[in-house]
């Protein structure tokens, strides 16, 4: 999510920001060069790569959970696997070939922090043990105002939370992507706060929609889509859906996510899809369907209000703006 307009960074926010963070942002801006999102996909030599990962999990395609239906056609598989955001491999949408060197099998995942027993285990073993594999159709809405509709395979995140047995004081789950600048050259760009981090409240993590995807289109995830295991939170903007997770940390401190560190006034912790809160570069009232180019109205919570609004009401959140920051 690069920035096309320098000006938005240099508004009052800069004055209120600690100098080290501000300098870090300025270096980042300079180096990022505002090449920007919304340049459109560059589809040279396209073709999805099913190079992953958790292939040891049998049973693909998993039975579809029919609770989750779509109001639009499923996005073409080639589009969904060649138009990606994965900044570890660069800032263009066309990074799928660059992810080829990533080895997503074997893969270890650590569960730590405020849990009964900290552990590090093989991702295949983890998925096997937490159980609940299934396929779900979800809308997928990026803050850049494009969207897709994707058949994800995986397990409910709630199953991982249950497996981890967090202590009563744990309020958040912080997730972290791998760190390896040798295979992910984007991580050599020191103005980004690597590794990529995201977080959810425990309530959000156990919400029925929160999903750990291990596959897409009835097959293991290709690297560019976050192999071997990534988050999918369809009521939030896509940047919350952290890819290639290596660590789940249960904590009582609200995690500061990758994009939030760079631009807290632009990328909120909650980041719930909200057509009423415009982003400085992307008005949010409508979205472009990747593949067809059709523009459709954006819905509050990306259309998942029925599943999540009670959860926020129970937290006492009534101001819709809080649902973004
Ligand atoms: N996770 C990591 N580790 N690195 C990233 O750059 N990009 C995010 C999210 N997860 C990102 C990430 C953004 S901005 C979006 S919109 C989605 O991944 C894109 O997922 P997709 O490429 O599968 O459509």
């Amino acid at each position: 999510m690069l920035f096309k307009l320098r000006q938005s960074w240099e508004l009052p926010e800069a004055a209120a920001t600690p100098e080290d963070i501000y300098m870090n942002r300025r270096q980042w801006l300079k180096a990022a060069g505002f090449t920007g999102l919304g340049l459109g996909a560059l589809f040279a030599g396209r073709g999805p790569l099913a190079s992953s990962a958790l292939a040891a999990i049998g049973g693909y395609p998993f039975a579809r959970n029919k609770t989750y239906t779509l109001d639009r056609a499923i996005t073409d598989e080639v589009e969904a696997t060649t138009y990606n955001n994965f900044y570890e491999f660069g800032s263009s949408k066309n990074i799928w070939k660059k992810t080829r060197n990533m080895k997503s099998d074997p893969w270890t995942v650590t569960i730590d922090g405020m849990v009964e027993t900290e552990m590090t285990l093989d991702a295949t073993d983890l998925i096997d043990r937490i159980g609940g594999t299934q396929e779900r159709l979800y809308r997928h809405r990026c803050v850049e105002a494009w969207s897709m509709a994707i058949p994800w395979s995986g397990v409910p995140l709630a199953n991982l939370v249950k497996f981890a047995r967090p202590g009563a004081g744990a309020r958040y789950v912080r997730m972290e992507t791998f760190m390896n600048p040798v295979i992910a050259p984007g991580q050599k760009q020191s103005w980004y706060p690597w590794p990529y981090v995201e977080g959810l409240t425990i309530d959000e993590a156990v919400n029925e929609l929160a999903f750990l995807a291990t596959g897409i289109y009835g097959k293991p995830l290709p690297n560019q889509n976050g192999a071997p295991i990534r988050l999918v939170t369809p009521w939030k903007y896509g940047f919350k859906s952290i890819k290639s997770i290596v660590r789940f940390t249960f904590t009582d401190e609200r995690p500061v996510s990758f994009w939030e560190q760079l631009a807290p006034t632009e990328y909120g912790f909650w980041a719930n899809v909200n057509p009423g809160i415009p982003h400085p570069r992307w008005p949010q009232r409508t979205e472009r369907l990747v593949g067809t180019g059709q523009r459709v109205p954006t819905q509050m919570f990306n259309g998942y209000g029925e599943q999540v609004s009670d959860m926020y009401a129970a937290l006492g959140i009534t101001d819709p703006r809080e649902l973004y920051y």
Side-chain angles (χ1 to χ4, degrees):
M1 290 186 298
L2 290 181
F3 293 81
K4 276 161 115 181
L5 302 174
R6 191 183 306 263
Q7 295 86 327
S8 68
W9 279 88
E10 295 174 345
L11 290 176
E13 177 218 346
T17 306
E19 195 184 9
D20 55 342
I21 297 173
Y22 179 53
M23 287 314 290
N24 184 23
R25 287 183 197 164
R26 290 191 64 88
Q27 283 167 346
W28 175 74
L29 276 170
K30 196 168 162 226
F34 305 96
T35 50
L37 295 165
L39 288 180
L42 304 170
F43 286 120
R46 50 196 245 164
L49 301 175
S51 53
S52 176
L54 292 203
I57 293 188
Y60 280 99
F62 297 124
R64 185 170 292 173
N65 180 337
K66 297 205 172 67
T67 310
Y68 305 101
T69 53
L70 294 173
D71 57 353
R72 57 196 69 174
I74 292 175
T75 303
D76 176 75
E77 181 180 348
V78 174
E79 300 282 353
T81 54
T82 56
Y83 185 85
N84 301 101
N85 275 334
F86 204 168
Y87 274 70
E88 285 80 344
F89 296 93
S91 54
S92 99
K93 293 283 179 288
N94 189 25
I95 48 76
W96 61 271
K97 281 187 204 159
K98 294 187 185 154
T99 65
R100 276 178 180 159
N101 290 338
M102 183 181 154
K103 281 213 180 338
S104 43
D105 187 18
W107 189 270
T108 48
V109 177
T110 297
I111 298 175
D112 62 8
M114 302 170 75
V115 290
E116 208 168 281
T117 313
E118 296 190 331
M119 61 183 110
T120 295
L121 69 175
D122 181 73
T124 313
D125 188 27
L126 172 68
I127 296 299
D128 226 23
R129 285 168 73 180
I130 68 181
T133 44
Q134 56 188 270
E135 183 181 75
R136 291 185 180 186
L137 303 179
Y138 278 164
R139 291 181 289 279
H140 174 47
R141 170 64 158 79
C142 181
V143 74
E144 298 159 2
W146 55 259
S147 67
M148 300 188 191
I150 296 191
W152 303 101
S153 305
V155 296
L157 179 60
N159 292 15
L160 180 136
V161 175
K162 198 169 157 203
F163 175 75
R165 293 200 293 270
R171 293 186 53 214
Y172 302 93
V173 55
R174 176 187 184 277
M175 289 153 275
E176 198 178 288
T177 297
F178 73 90
M179 180 73 194
N180 186 346
V182 176
I183 58 139
Q187 293 182 329
K188 291 184 184 145
Q189 299 177 316
S190 57
W191 52 92
Y192 286 113
W194 305 112
Y196 199 98
V197 166
E198 261 306 341
L200 297 174
T201 65
I202 301 279
D203 287 331
E204 290 177 323
V206 301
N207 183 276
E208 61 165 292
L209 290 176
F211 201 59
L212 275 183
T214 58
I216 192 169
Y217 294 91
K219 291 170 274 195
L221 278 172
N223 288 343
Q224 64 270 29
N225 291 91
I229 185 166
R230 57 108 35 106
L231 179 68
V232 182
T233 44
W235 73 101
K236 294 179 178 286
Y237 289 113
F239 63 85
K240 295 293 291 183
S241 292
I242 179 172
K243 296 180 171 181
S244 305
I245 302 171
V246 292
R247 185 179 297 273
F248 295 85
T249 304
F250 290 82
T251 169
D252 54 2
E253 274 176 43
R254 184 167 123 167
V256 183
S257 68
F258 179 85
W259 290 108
E260 198 185 356
Q261 281 187 62
L262 287 164
T265 59
E266 300 194 8
Y267 303 105
F269 170 78
W270 298 104
N272 292 320
V273 174
N274 187 338
I277 299 181
H279 185 276
R281 274 168 301 288
W282 306 285
Q284 299 296 337
R285 294 230 168 263
T286 63
E287 63 203 57
R288 171 179 59 86
L289 305 186
V290 171
T292 66
Q294 192 192 346
R295 204 156 261 288
V296 300
T298 288
Q299 306 169 61
M300 183 69 209
F301 295 119
N302 201 21
Y304 294 103
E306 197 185 318
Q307 290 88 351
V308 299
S309 44
D310 285 355
M311 167 175 72
Y312 293 116
L315 292 175
I317 298 176
T318 46
D319 177 353
R321 290 197 71 89
E322 281 187 53
L323 298 170
Y324 185 69
Y325 300 106

